[in-house]
C-alpha cells in the first residue's frame, strides 16, 4: 500500500489545531488532526448538496449562490454546472491555505471551479457574509464541518444555532434555500430549522454516488 505523504499544514484560528493536506498516489485527503474532513475519492454527496440546493436556479436570470467552504471544490463545481452564464457564485473559505492548495494541488479534481469567471473566492468566515447580507442569495450551501456541530472551529456552532439560522434566513431571498451537508442525521437540528421558520426537507444521499459509500444527510430548508 502506498503511504500517505503530508503535503502541507495550516493553523486553524483561535487555537483550533491544524488542518493537513495529504496525498497518496492520485488520492487527496484534508484532515483535522486524525479526523478526515474531505477525501477526493468520495464526493458524491458534496456534489448532491449543490444539485439539490441549486435545483431550478438554471432558469433564474442572475442567481446568486453562496458556498461555504471550498474544500476540494466539488460543491462549487457542481453548483456551476447547475447555473447559467450570468450567475454569481461566491465561495467563502476560512483558511487561505485551502485556497492555495486548490490552486497548487487540488484544482484538477473538480475541473478548476476557481477559474470560472462566475466564481468569486473570498478568504473569509462564511458567518461574516451571512451576518451582513439581507435578501441577497438564492441559495446558501454549507459544508464546513462534518455535520451541524463546529468541527473545523468551535465558532462554527453559531451557524447551526437559532441565531445563525435566523441570520441565514435574512440573507436568503424569499423562496431561497439553505442547504446543509452532514455525515449523519440530527432531529435537534431539523427542529431548530423549523423553529427558525424554514420549510424543511431532509434527503439521504451516498458518499460515492450511484448508491455506493456511506450514507450522508442533506437538509434543504426554504425561506417561506
Ligand atoms: C468538508 S470541507 C468542504 C468540502 C467541499 N464541499 C468540497 O466539495 O470539496 C470543509 C471546508 O470548509 C472550510 N471552513 C470551515 N469553517 C469555515 C467557515 N466558518 N467559513 C468558511 N469556510 C470554512 C474548511 O477550511 C474546509 O475547506
Amino acid at each position: 500500500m502506498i503511504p500517505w505523504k503530508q503535503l502541507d499544514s495550516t493553523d486553524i484560528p483561535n487555537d483550533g489545531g491544524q488542518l493537513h493536506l495529504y496525498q497518496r498516489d492520485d488520492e487527496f485527503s484534508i484532515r483535522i488532526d486524525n479526523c478526515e474532513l474531505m477525501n477526493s475519492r468520495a464526493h458524491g454527496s458534496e456534489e448532491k448538496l449543490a444539485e439539490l440546493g441549486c435545483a431550478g436556479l438554471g432558469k433564474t436570470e442572475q442567481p446568486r449562490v453562496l458556498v461555504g467552504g471550498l474544500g476540494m471544490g466539488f460543491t462549487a463545481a457542481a453548483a456551476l454546472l447547475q447555473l447559467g452564464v450570468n450567475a454569481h457564485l461566491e465561495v467563502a473559505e476560512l483558511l487561505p491555505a485551502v485556497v492555495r492548495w486548490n490552486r497548487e494541488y487540488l484544482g484538477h479534481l473538480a475541473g478548476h471551479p476557481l477559474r470560472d469567471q462566475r466564481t468569486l473566492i473570498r478568504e473569509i468566515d462564511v458567518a461574516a457574509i451571512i451576518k451582513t447580507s439581507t435578501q441577497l442569495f438564492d441559495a446558501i450551501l454549507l459544508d464546513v464541518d462534518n455535520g451541524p456541530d463546529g468541527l473545523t472551529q468551535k465558532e462554527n456552532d453559531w451557524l447551526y444555532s437559532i441565531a445563525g439560522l435566523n441570520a441565514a434566513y435574512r440573507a436568503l431571498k424569499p423562496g431561497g434555500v439553505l442547504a446543509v451537508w452532514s455525515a449523519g442525521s440530527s432531529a435537534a437540528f431539523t427542529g431548530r430549522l423549523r423553529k427558525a421558520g424554514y420549510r424543511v426537507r431532509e434527503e439521504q444521499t451516498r458518499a460515492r454516488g450511484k448508491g455506493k459509500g456511506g450514507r450522508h444527510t442533506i437538509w434543504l430548508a426554504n425561506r417561506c
Side-chain angles (χ1 to χ4, degrees), residues 19 30 37-38 43 46-47 49 67-76 92-95 98 124-127 143-146 152-153 156 159 181:
L19 196 76
I30 294 178
L37 200 56
M38 185 67 208
H43 46 84
E46 287 76 5
E47 289 162 344
L49 174 71
V67 174
L70 175 61
M72 295 182 178
F74 292 108
T75 301
E93 172 51 52
L94 180 70
L95 304 173
V98 173
I124 189 172
D125 190 326
V126 70
D143 178 16
V144 293
D145 297 298
N146 272 352
T152 309
Q153 57 166 359
N156 282 357
L159 292 166
W181 185 98

PDB file of all heavy atoms in Angstrom, residues 19 30 37-38 43 46-47 49 67-76 92-95 98 124-127 143-146 152-153 156 159 181, ligand 1:
ATOM      1  N   LEU A  19      -5.027  22.045  10.180  1.00  0.00           N
ATOM      2  CA  LEU A  19      -5.621  21.334   9.043  1.00  0.00           C
ATOM      3  C   LEU A  19      -4.456  20.847   8.179  1.00  0.00           C
ATOM      4  O   LEU A  19      -3.512  21.599   7.931  1.00  0.00           O
ATOM      5  CB  LEU A  19      -6.503  22.298   8.245  1.00  0.00           C
ATOM      6  CG  LEU A  19      -7.483  21.668   7.267  1.00  0.00           C
ATOM      7  CD1 LEU A  19      -8.672  21.091   8.043  1.00  0.00           C
ATOM      8  CD2 LEU A  19      -8.021  22.711   6.280  1.00  0.00           C
ATOM      9  N   ILE A  30      -8.012  15.844   3.216  1.00  0.00           N
ATOM     10  CA  ILE A  30      -7.860  17.003   4.106  1.00  0.00           C
ATOM     11  C   ILE A  30      -8.312  16.550   5.487  1.00  0.00           C
ATOM     12  O   ILE A  30      -9.422  16.017   5.634  1.00  0.00           O
ATOM     13  CB  ILE A  30      -8.707  18.202   3.618  1.00  0.00           C
ATOM     14  CG1 ILE A  30      -8.173  18.719   2.274  1.00  0.00           C
ATOM     15  CG2 ILE A  30      -8.683  19.329   4.646  1.00  0.00           C
ATOM     16  CD1 ILE A  30      -8.977  19.881   1.671  1.00  0.00           C
ATOM     17  N   LEU A  37     -11.771  15.377   6.965  1.00  0.00           N
ATOM     18  CA  LEU A  37     -12.828  16.344   6.638  1.00  0.00           C
ATOM     19  C   LEU A  37     -13.292  16.133   5.207  1.00  0.00           C
ATOM     20  O   LEU A  37     -14.459  16.339   4.874  1.00  0.00           O
ATOM     21  CB  LEU A  37     -12.248  17.758   6.811  1.00  0.00           C
ATOM     22  CG  LEU A  37     -13.169  18.945   6.998  1.00  0.00           C
ATOM     23  CD1 LEU A  37     -14.106  18.745   8.181  1.00  0.00           C
ATOM     24  CD2 LEU A  37     -12.345  20.218   7.197  1.00  0.00           C
ATOM     25  N   MET A  38     -12.373  15.680   4.346  1.00  0.00           N
ATOM     26  CA  MET A  38     -12.711  15.531   2.932  1.00  0.00           C
ATOM     27  C   MET A  38     -11.708  14.595   2.270  1.00  0.00           C
ATOM     28  O   MET A  38     -10.510  14.675   2.533  1.00  0.00           O
ATOM     29  CB  MET A  38     -12.637  16.927   2.282  1.00  0.00           C
ATOM     30  CG  MET A  38     -13.077  16.974   0.853  1.00  0.00           C
ATOM     31  SD  MET A  38     -14.838  16.641   0.693  1.00  0.00           S
ATOM     32  CE  MET A  38     -14.878  15.947  -0.959  1.00  0.00           C
ATOM     33  N   HIS A  43     -17.009  12.122  -3.224  1.00  0.00           N
ATOM     34  CA  HIS A  43     -17.528  13.488  -3.346  1.00  0.00           C
ATOM     35  C   HIS A  43     -18.959  13.526  -3.876  1.00  0.00           C
ATOM     36  O   HIS A  43     -19.467  14.581  -4.249  1.00  0.00           O
ATOM     37  CB  HIS A  43     -16.596  14.338  -4.211  1.00  0.00           C
ATOM     38  CG  HIS A  43     -16.164  13.660  -5.482  1.00  0.00           C
ATOM     39  ND1 HIS A  43     -16.930  13.670  -6.612  1.00  0.00           N
ATOM     40  CD2 HIS A  43     -15.070  12.935  -5.766  1.00  0.00           C
ATOM     41  CE1 HIS A  43     -16.321  12.982  -7.553  1.00  0.00           C
ATOM     42  NE2 HIS A  43     -15.191  12.511  -7.079  1.00  0.00           N
ATOM     43  N   GLU A  46     -21.212  15.706  -1.669  1.00  0.00           N
ATOM     44  CA  GLU A  46     -20.841  17.132  -1.750  1.00  0.00           C
ATOM     45  C   GLU A  46     -21.412  17.733  -3.034  1.00  0.00           C
ATOM     46  O   GLU A  46     -21.845  18.890  -3.064  1.00  0.00           O
ATOM     47  CB  GLU A  46     -19.309  17.304  -1.729  1.00  0.00           C
ATOM     48  CG  GLU A  46     -18.656  17.067  -0.387  1.00  0.00           C
ATOM     49  CD  GLU A  46     -18.533  15.597  -0.011  1.00  0.00           C
ATOM     50  OE1 GLU A  46     -18.880  14.727  -0.841  1.00  0.00           O
ATOM     51  OE2 GLU A  46     -18.097  15.319   1.119  1.00  0.00           O
ATOM     52  N   GLU A  47     -21.409  16.947  -4.116  1.00  0.00           N
ATOM     53  CA  GLU A  47     -21.995  17.413  -5.378  1.00  0.00           C
ATOM     54  C   GLU A  47     -23.522  17.466  -5.276  1.00  0.00           C
ATOM     55  O   GLU A  47     -24.162  18.386  -5.776  1.00  0.00           O
ATOM     56  CB  GLU A  47     -21.543  16.504  -6.523  1.00  0.00           C
ATOM     57  CG  GLU A  47     -20.071  16.711  -6.841  1.00  0.00           C
ATOM     58  CD  GLU A  47     -19.436  15.591  -7.649  1.00  0.00           C
ATOM     59  OE1 GLU A  47     -20.017  14.492  -7.736  1.00  0.00           O
ATOM     60  OE2 GLU A  47     -18.341  15.808  -8.161  1.00  0.00           O
ATOM     61  N   LEU A  49     -25.213  18.120  -2.704  1.00  0.00           N
ATOM     62  CA  LEU A  49     -25.565  19.331  -1.946  1.00  0.00           C
ATOM     63  C   LEU A  49     -25.859  20.478  -2.915  1.00  0.00           C
ATOM     64  O   LEU A  49     -26.839  21.212  -2.762  1.00  0.00           O
ATOM     65  CB  LEU A  49     -24.393  19.692  -1.019  1.00  0.00           C
ATOM     66  CG  LEU A  49     -24.491  21.003  -0.242  1.00  0.00           C
ATOM     67  CD1 LEU A  49     -25.549  20.884   0.857  1.00  0.00           C
ATOM     68  CD2 LEU A  49     -23.139  21.362   0.391  1.00  0.00           C
ATOM     69  N   VAL A  67     -21.403  29.566  -1.279  1.00  0.00           N
ATOM     70  CA  VAL A  67     -20.907  28.248  -0.859  1.00  0.00           C
ATOM     71  C   VAL A  67     -19.915  28.447   0.278  1.00  0.00           C
ATOM     72  O   VAL A  67     -18.983  29.235   0.178  1.00  0.00           O
ATOM     73  CB  VAL A  67     -20.189  27.519  -2.025  1.00  0.00           C
ATOM     74  CG1 VAL A  67     -19.549  26.218  -1.530  1.00  0.00           C
ATOM     75  CG2 VAL A  67     -21.148  27.218  -3.160  1.00  0.00           C
ATOM     76  N   GLY A  68     -20.063  27.715   1.356  1.00  0.00           N
ATOM     77  CA  GLY A  68     -19.064  27.728   2.426  1.00  0.00           C
ATOM     78  C   GLY A  68     -18.811  26.283   2.814  1.00  0.00           C
ATOM     79  O   GLY A  68     -19.753  25.537   3.064  1.00  0.00           O
ATOM     80  N   GLY A  69     -17.535  25.753   2.841  1.00  0.00           N
ATOM     81  CA  GLY A  69     -16.334  26.367   2.344  1.00  0.00           C
ATOM     82  C   GLY A  69     -15.890  25.677   1.054  1.00  0.00           C
ATOM     83  O   GLY A  69     -16.593  24.831   0.486  1.00  0.00           O
ATOM     84  N   LEU A  70     -14.672  25.943   0.691  1.00  0.00           N
ATOM     85  CA  LEU A  70     -14.164  25.467  -0.608  1.00  0.00           C
ATOM     86  C   LEU A  70     -13.789  23.983  -0.577  1.00  0.00           C
ATOM     87  O   LEU A  70     -14.140  23.234  -1.493  1.00  0.00           O
ATOM     88  CB  LEU A  70     -12.938  26.307  -1.004  1.00  0.00           C
ATOM     89  CG  LEU A  70     -12.216  25.867  -2.274  1.00  0.00           C
ATOM     90  CD1 LEU A  70     -13.117  25.946  -3.496  1.00  0.00           C
ATOM     91  CD2 LEU A  70     -10.948  26.702  -2.471  1.00  0.00           C
ATOM     92  N   GLY A  71     -13.051  23.542   0.442  1.00  0.00           N
ATOM     93  CA  GLY A  71     -12.596  22.141   0.496  1.00  0.00           C
ATOM     94  C   GLY A  71     -11.812  21.788  -0.756  1.00  0.00           C
ATOM     95  O   GLY A  71     -10.823  22.433  -1.079  1.00  0.00           O
ATOM     96  N   MET A  72     -12.277  20.775  -1.490  1.00  0.00           N
ATOM     97  CA  MET A  72     -11.613  20.387  -2.745  1.00  0.00           C
ATOM     98  C   MET A  72     -12.372  20.906  -3.962  1.00  0.00           C
ATOM     99  O   MET A  72     -12.051  20.539  -5.097  1.00  0.00           O
ATOM    100  CB  MET A  72     -11.484  18.875  -2.807  1.00  0.00           C
ATOM    101  CG  MET A  72     -10.578  18.352  -1.716  1.00  0.00           C
ATOM    102  SD  MET A  72     -10.369  16.574  -1.806  1.00  0.00           S
ATOM    103  CE  MET A  72      -9.222  16.319  -0.437  1.00  0.00           C
ATOM    104  N   GLY A  73     -13.410  21.703  -3.731  1.00  0.00           N
ATOM    105  CA  GLY A  73     -14.082  22.389  -4.834  1.00  0.00           C
ATOM    106  C   GLY A  73     -15.205  21.609  -5.508  1.00  0.00           C
ATOM    107  O   GLY A  73     -15.779  22.084  -6.493  1.00  0.00           O
ATOM    108  N   PHE A  74     -15.570  20.428  -4.972  1.00  0.00           N
ATOM    109  CA  PHE A  74     -16.602  19.627  -5.644  1.00  0.00           C
ATOM    110  C   PHE A  74     -17.984  20.299  -5.586  1.00  0.00           C
ATOM    111  O   PHE A  74     -18.725  20.287  -6.563  1.00  0.00           O
ATOM    112  CB  PHE A  74     -16.676  18.222  -5.040  1.00  0.00           C
ATOM    113  CG  PHE A  74     -15.460  17.398  -5.332  1.00  0.00           C
ATOM    114  CD1 PHE A  74     -14.534  17.106  -4.343  1.00  0.00           C
ATOM    115  CD2 PHE A  74     -15.228  16.914  -6.611  1.00  0.00           C
ATOM    116  CE1 PHE A  74     -13.407  16.344  -4.609  1.00  0.00           C
ATOM    117  CE2 PHE A  74     -14.095  16.149  -6.892  1.00  0.00           C
ATOM    118  CZ  PHE A  74     -13.192  15.862  -5.888  1.00  0.00           C
ATOM    119  N   THR A  75     -18.328  20.864  -4.426  1.00  0.00           N
ATOM    120  CA  THR A  75     -19.638  21.524  -4.307  1.00  0.00           C
ATOM    121  C   THR A  75     -19.696  22.756  -5.214  1.00  0.00           C
ATOM    122  O   THR A  75     -20.690  22.975  -5.922  1.00  0.00           O
ATOM    123  CB  THR A  75     -19.896  21.933  -2.839  1.00  0.00           C
ATOM    124  OG1 THR A  75     -19.850  20.757  -2.025  1.00  0.00           O
ATOM    125  CG2 THR A  75     -21.244  22.598  -2.668  1.00  0.00           C
ATOM    126  N   ALA A  76     -18.621  23.541  -5.210  1.00  0.00           N
ATOM    127  CA  ALA A  76     -18.590  24.747  -6.058  1.00  0.00           C
ATOM    128  C   ALA A  76     -18.732  24.361  -7.530  1.00  0.00           C
ATOM    129  O   ALA A  76     -19.515  24.970  -8.273  1.00  0.00           O
ATOM    130  CB  ALA A  76     -17.282  25.510  -5.820  1.00  0.00           C
ATOM    131  N   ALA A  92     -16.893  31.095   0.108  1.00  0.00           N
ATOM    132  CA  ALA A  92     -16.197  31.589   1.299  1.00  0.00           C
ATOM    133  C   ALA A  92     -15.338  30.471   1.872  1.00  0.00           C
ATOM    134  O   ALA A  92     -15.850  29.380   2.166  1.00  0.00           O
ATOM    135  CB  ALA A  92     -17.209  32.039   2.340  1.00  0.00           C
ATOM    136  N   GLU A  93     -14.056  30.725   2.023  1.00  0.00           N
ATOM    137  CA  GLU A  93     -13.151  29.741   2.617  1.00  0.00           C
ATOM    138  C   GLU A  93     -12.389  30.394   3.767  1.00  0.00           C
ATOM    139  O   GLU A  93     -11.714  31.400   3.582  1.00  0.00           O
ATOM    140  CB  GLU A  93     -12.191  29.180   1.560  1.00  0.00           C
ATOM    141  CG  GLU A  93     -11.087  28.291   2.097  1.00  0.00           C
ATOM    142  CD  GLU A  93     -11.570  27.159   3.020  1.00  0.00           C
ATOM    143  OE1 GLU A  93     -12.470  26.411   2.612  1.00  0.00           O
ATOM    144  OE2 GLU A  93     -11.045  27.042   4.157  1.00  0.00           O
ATOM    145  N   LEU A  94     -12.509  29.779   4.925  1.00  0.00           N
ATOM    146  CA  LEU A  94     -11.907  30.308   6.158  1.00  0.00           C
ATOM    147  C   LEU A  94     -10.377  30.356   6.093  1.00  0.00           C
ATOM    148  O   LEU A  94      -9.751  31.290   6.583  1.00  0.00           O
ATOM    149  CB  LEU A  94     -12.340  29.410   7.327  1.00  0.00           C
ATOM    150  CG  LEU A  94     -11.858  29.748   8.715  1.00  0.00           C
ATOM    151  CD1 LEU A  94     -12.523  31.030   9.211  1.00  0.00           C
ATOM    152  CD2 LEU A  94     -12.170  28.603   9.687  1.00  0.00           C
ATOM    153  N   LEU A  95      -9.783  29.320   5.498  1.00  0.00           N
ATOM    154  CA  LEU A  95      -8.330  29.160   5.585  1.00  0.00           C
ATOM    155  C   LEU A  95      -7.655  29.468   4.242  1.00  0.00           C
ATOM    156  O   LEU A  95      -7.834  28.714   3.267  1.00  0.00           O
ATOM    157  CB  LEU A  95      -7.991  27.729   6.021  1.00  0.00           C
ATOM    158  CG  LEU A  95      -8.634  27.299   7.346  1.00  0.00           C
ATOM    159  CD1 LEU A  95      -8.395  25.826   7.626  1.00  0.00           C
ATOM    160  CD2 LEU A  95      -8.114  28.156   8.501  1.00  0.00           C
ATOM    161  N   VAL A  98      -6.152  26.669   2.159  1.00  0.00           N
ATOM    162  CA  VAL A  98      -7.023  25.772   1.367  1.00  0.00           C
ATOM    163  C   VAL A  98      -7.199  26.334  -0.046  1.00  0.00           C
ATOM    164  O   VAL A  98      -7.205  25.588  -1.031  1.00  0.00           O
ATOM    165  CB  VAL A  98      -8.384  25.555   2.065  1.00  0.00           C
ATOM    166  CG1 VAL A  98      -9.338  24.772   1.177  1.00  0.00           C
ATOM    167  CG2 VAL A  98      -8.188  24.815   3.395  1.00  0.00           C
ATOM    168  N   ILE A 124     -12.568  34.183   3.909  1.00  0.00           N
ATOM    169  CA  ILE A 124     -13.365  34.804   4.970  1.00  0.00           C
ATOM    170  C   ILE A 124     -14.219  33.719   5.627  1.00  0.00           C
ATOM    171  O   ILE A 124     -14.520  32.691   5.002  1.00  0.00           O
ATOM    172  CB  ILE A 124     -14.270  35.906   4.340  1.00  0.00           C
ATOM    173  CG1 ILE A 124     -14.971  36.750   5.380  1.00  0.00           C
ATOM    174  CG2 ILE A 124     -15.247  35.325   3.352  1.00  0.00           C
ATOM    175  CD1 ILE A 124     -15.709  37.963   4.795  1.00  0.00           C
ATOM    176  N   ASP A 125     -14.595  33.958   6.875  1.00  0.00           N
ATOM    177  CA  ASP A 125     -15.543  33.084   7.562  1.00  0.00           C
ATOM    178  C   ASP A 125     -16.921  33.284   6.920  1.00  0.00           C
ATOM    179  O   ASP A 125     -17.399  34.425   6.823  1.00  0.00           O
ATOM    180  CB  ASP A 125     -15.569  33.476   9.053  1.00  0.00           C
ATOM    181  CG  ASP A 125     -16.340  32.476   9.905  1.00  0.00           C
ATOM    182  OD1 ASP A 125     -17.327  31.907   9.403  1.00  0.00           O
ATOM    183  OD2 ASP A 125     -15.950  32.285  11.060  1.00  0.00           O
ATOM    184  N   VAL A 126     -17.552  32.204   6.483  1.00  0.00           N
ATOM    185  CA  VAL A 126     -18.859  32.325   5.820  1.00  0.00           C
ATOM    186  C   VAL A 126     -19.876  33.003   6.736  1.00  0.00           C
ATOM    187  O   VAL A 126     -20.806  33.681   6.273  1.00  0.00           O
ATOM    188  CB  VAL A 126     -19.349  30.931   5.322  1.00  0.00           C
ATOM    189  CG1 VAL A 126     -19.734  30.016   6.473  1.00  0.00           C
ATOM    190  CG2 VAL A 126     -20.495  31.071   4.342  1.00  0.00           C
ATOM    191  N   ALA A 127     -19.682  32.878   8.049  1.00  0.00           N
ATOM    192  CA  ALA A 127     -20.597  33.516   9.011  1.00  0.00           C
ATOM    193  C   ALA A 127     -20.596  35.033   8.838  1.00  0.00           C
ATOM    194  O   ALA A 127     -21.636  35.682   8.998  1.00  0.00           O
ATOM    195  CB  ALA A 127     -20.200  33.147  10.438  1.00  0.00           C
ATOM    196  N   ASP A 143     -21.082  23.425   3.757  1.00  0.00           N
ATOM    197  CA  ASP A 143     -20.361  22.183   4.068  1.00  0.00           C
ATOM    198  C   ASP A 143     -19.025  22.597   4.676  1.00  0.00           C
ATOM    199  O   ASP A 143     -17.995  22.588   4.012  1.00  0.00           O
ATOM    200  CB  ASP A 143     -20.158  21.348   2.792  1.00  0.00           C
ATOM    201  CG  ASP A 143     -19.360  20.079   3.065  1.00  0.00           C
ATOM    202  OD1 ASP A 143     -19.222  19.700   4.239  1.00  0.00           O
ATOM    203  OD2 ASP A 143     -18.866  19.471   2.098  1.00  0.00           O
ATOM    204  N   VAL A 144     -19.084  23.001   5.936  1.00  0.00           N
ATOM    205  CA  VAL A 144     -17.878  23.494   6.597  1.00  0.00           C
ATOM    206  C   VAL A 144     -17.417  22.587   7.741  1.00  0.00           C
ATOM    207  O   VAL A 144     -16.314  22.738   8.257  1.00  0.00           O
ATOM    208  CB  VAL A 144     -18.053  24.952   7.112  1.00  0.00           C
ATOM    209  CG1 VAL A 144     -18.193  25.911   5.953  1.00  0.00           C
ATOM    210  CG2 VAL A 144     -19.228  25.087   8.062  1.00  0.00           C
ATOM    211  N   ASP A 145     -18.277  21.647   8.140  1.00  0.00           N
ATOM    212  CA  ASP A 145     -17.941  20.709   9.216  1.00  0.00           C
ATOM    213  C   ASP A 145     -18.403  19.317   8.769  1.00  0.00           C
ATOM    214  O   ASP A 145     -18.808  19.133   7.632  1.00  0.00           O
ATOM    215  CB  ASP A 145     -18.654  21.126  10.506  1.00  0.00           C
ATOM    216  CG  ASP A 145     -18.204  22.501  10.991  1.00  0.00           C
ATOM    217  OD1 ASP A 145     -17.006  22.645  11.289  1.00  0.00           O
ATOM    218  OD2 ASP A 145     -19.040  23.416  11.074  1.00  0.00           O
ATOM    219  N   ASN A 146     -18.423  18.380   9.673  1.00  0.00           N
ATOM    220  CA  ASN A 146     -18.945  17.051   9.311  1.00  0.00           C
ATOM    221  C   ASN A 146     -20.422  16.900   9.648  1.00  0.00           C
ATOM    222  O   ASN A 146     -20.992  15.829   9.504  1.00  0.00           O
ATOM    223  CB  ASN A 146     -18.124  15.948   9.988  1.00  0.00           C
ATOM    224  CG  ASN A 146     -16.931  15.561   9.131  1.00  0.00           C
ATOM    225  OD1 ASN A 146     -16.816  16.016   7.987  1.00  0.00           O
ATOM    226  ND2 ASN A 146     -16.046  14.732   9.658  1.00  0.00           N
ATOM    227  N   THR A 152     -14.452  22.154  12.376  1.00  0.00           N
ATOM    228  CA  THR A 152     -13.273  22.885  11.899  1.00  0.00           C
ATOM    229  C   THR A 152     -12.867  23.914  12.951  1.00  0.00           C
ATOM    230  O   THR A 152     -11.701  24.053  13.295  1.00  0.00           O
ATOM    231  CB  THR A 152     -13.571  23.603  10.565  1.00  0.00           C
ATOM    232  OG1 THR A 152     -14.140  22.681   9.656  1.00  0.00           O
ATOM    233  CG2 THR A 152     -12.307  24.190   9.968  1.00  0.00           C
ATOM    234  N   GLN A 153     -13.854  24.660  13.423  1.00  0.00           N
ATOM    235  CA  GLN A 153     -13.616  25.599  14.528  1.00  0.00           C
ATOM    236  C   GLN A 153     -14.878  25.647  15.379  1.00  0.00           C
ATOM    237  O   GLN A 153     -15.994  25.541  14.868  1.00  0.00           O
ATOM    238  CB  GLN A 153     -13.236  26.987  14.008  1.00  0.00           C
ATOM    239  CG  GLN A 153     -14.265  27.615  13.076  1.00  0.00           C
ATOM    240  CD  GLN A 153     -14.047  29.106  12.828  1.00  0.00           C
ATOM    241  OE1 GLN A 153     -13.125  29.713  13.369  1.00  0.00           O
ATOM    242  NE2 GLN A 153     -14.912  29.719  12.042  1.00  0.00           N
ATOM    243  N   ASN A 156     -18.001  27.708  14.576  1.00  0.00           N
ATOM    244  CA  ASN A 156     -18.992  27.296  13.575  1.00  0.00           C
ATOM    245  C   ASN A 156     -20.310  26.848  14.201  1.00  0.00           C
ATOM    246  O   ASN A 156     -21.325  26.788  13.512  1.00  0.00           O
ATOM    247  CB  ASN A 156     -18.440  26.160  12.696  1.00  0.00           C
ATOM    248  CG  ASN A 156     -17.473  26.670  11.642  1.00  0.00           C
ATOM    249  OD1 ASN A 156     -17.256  27.876  11.517  1.00  0.00           O
ATOM    250  ND2 ASN A 156     -16.875  25.767  10.890  1.00  0.00           N
ATOM    251  N   LEU A 159     -23.336  28.842  13.296  1.00  0.00           N
ATOM    252  CA  LEU A 159     -24.039  28.650  12.011  1.00  0.00           C
ATOM    253  C   LEU A 159     -25.286  27.776  12.174  1.00  0.00           C
ATOM    254  O   LEU A 159     -26.254  27.933  11.435  1.00  0.00           O
ATOM    255  CB  LEU A 159     -23.102  27.990  10.992  1.00  0.00           C
ATOM    256  CG  LEU A 159     -21.929  28.823  10.492  1.00  0.00           C
ATOM    257  CD1 LEU A 159     -20.923  27.931   9.777  1.00  0.00           C
ATOM    258  CD2 LEU A 159     -22.430  29.935   9.564  1.00  0.00           C
ATOM    259  N   TRP A 181     -24.882  20.163   4.533  1.00  0.00           N
ATOM    260  CA  TRP A 181     -24.347  18.795   4.406  1.00  0.00           C
ATOM    261  C   TRP A 181     -24.027  18.244   5.800  1.00  0.00           C
ATOM    262  O   TRP A 181     -23.550  18.974   6.670  1.00  0.00           O
ATOM    263  CB  TRP A 181     -23.073  18.829   3.572  1.00  0.00           C
ATOM    264  CG  TRP A 181     -22.483  17.484   3.253  1.00  0.00           C
ATOM    265  CD1 TRP A 181     -22.657  16.792   2.095  1.00  0.00           C
ATOM    266  CD2 TRP A 181     -21.633  16.679   4.081  1.00  0.00           C
ATOM    267  NE1 TRP A 181     -21.974  15.599   2.146  1.00  0.00           N
ATOM    268  CE2 TRP A 181     -21.336  15.506   3.357  1.00  0.00           C
ATOM    269  CE3 TRP A 181     -21.105  16.828   5.366  1.00  0.00           C
ATOM    270  CZ2 TRP A 181     -20.528  14.487   3.867  1.00  0.00           C
ATOM    271  CZ3 TRP A 181     -20.310  15.818   5.879  1.00  0.00           C
ATOM    272  CH2 TRP A 181     -20.022  14.660   5.128  1.00  0.00           C
TER     273      TRP A 181
HETATM  274  C1  LIG B   1     -15.605  19.384   4.260  1.00  0.00           C
HETATM  275  S1  LIG B   1     -14.676  20.645   3.527  1.00  0.00           S
HETATM  276  C2  LIG B   1     -15.724  21.155   2.229  1.00  0.00           C
HETATM  277  C3  LIG B   1     -15.754  20.168   1.103  1.00  0.00           C
HETATM  278  C4  LIG B   1     -16.394  20.763  -0.144  1.00  0.00           C
HETATM  279  N1  LIG B   1     -17.848  20.714  -0.050  1.00  0.00           N
HETATM  280  C5  LIG B   1     -15.944  20.051  -1.382  1.00  0.00           C
HETATM  281  O1  LIG B   1     -16.776  19.835  -2.271  1.00  0.00           O
HETATM  282  O2  LIG B   1     -14.766  19.719  -1.502  1.00  0.00           O
HETATM  283  C6  LIG B   1     -14.893  21.982   4.669  1.00  0.00           C
HETATM  284  C7  LIG B   1     -14.217  23.281   4.244  1.00  0.00           C
HETATM  285  O3  LIG B   1     -14.838  24.362   4.932  1.00  0.00           O
HETATM  286  C8  LIG B   1     -13.834  25.256   5.392  1.00  0.00           C
HETATM  287  N2  LIG B   1     -14.418  26.011   6.527  1.00  0.00           N
HETATM  288  C9  LIG B   1     -14.600  25.573   7.806  1.00  0.00           C
HETATM  289  N3  LIG B   1     -15.223  26.506   8.534  1.00  0.00           N
HETATM  290  C10 LIG B   1     -15.469  27.551   7.694  1.00  0.00           C
HETATM  291  C11 LIG B   1     -16.109  28.808   7.863  1.00  0.00           C
HETATM  292  N4  LIG B   1     -16.629  29.167   9.029  1.00  0.00           N
HETATM  293  N5  LIG B   1     -16.170  29.638   6.794  1.00  0.00           N
HETATM  294  C12 LIG B   1     -15.652  29.278   5.589  1.00  0.00           C
HETATM  295  N6  LIG B   1     -15.032  28.094   5.380  1.00  0.00           N
HETATM  296  C13 LIG B   1     -14.950  27.237   6.419  1.00  0.00           C
HETATM  297  C14 LIG B   1     -12.678  24.335   5.738  1.00  0.00           C
HETATM  298  O4  LIG B   1     -11.460  25.033   5.819  1.00  0.00           O
HETATM  299  C15 LIG B   1     -12.737  23.348   4.558  1.00  0.00           C
HETATM  300  O5  LIG B   1     -12.032  23.836   3.463  1.00  0.00           O
END
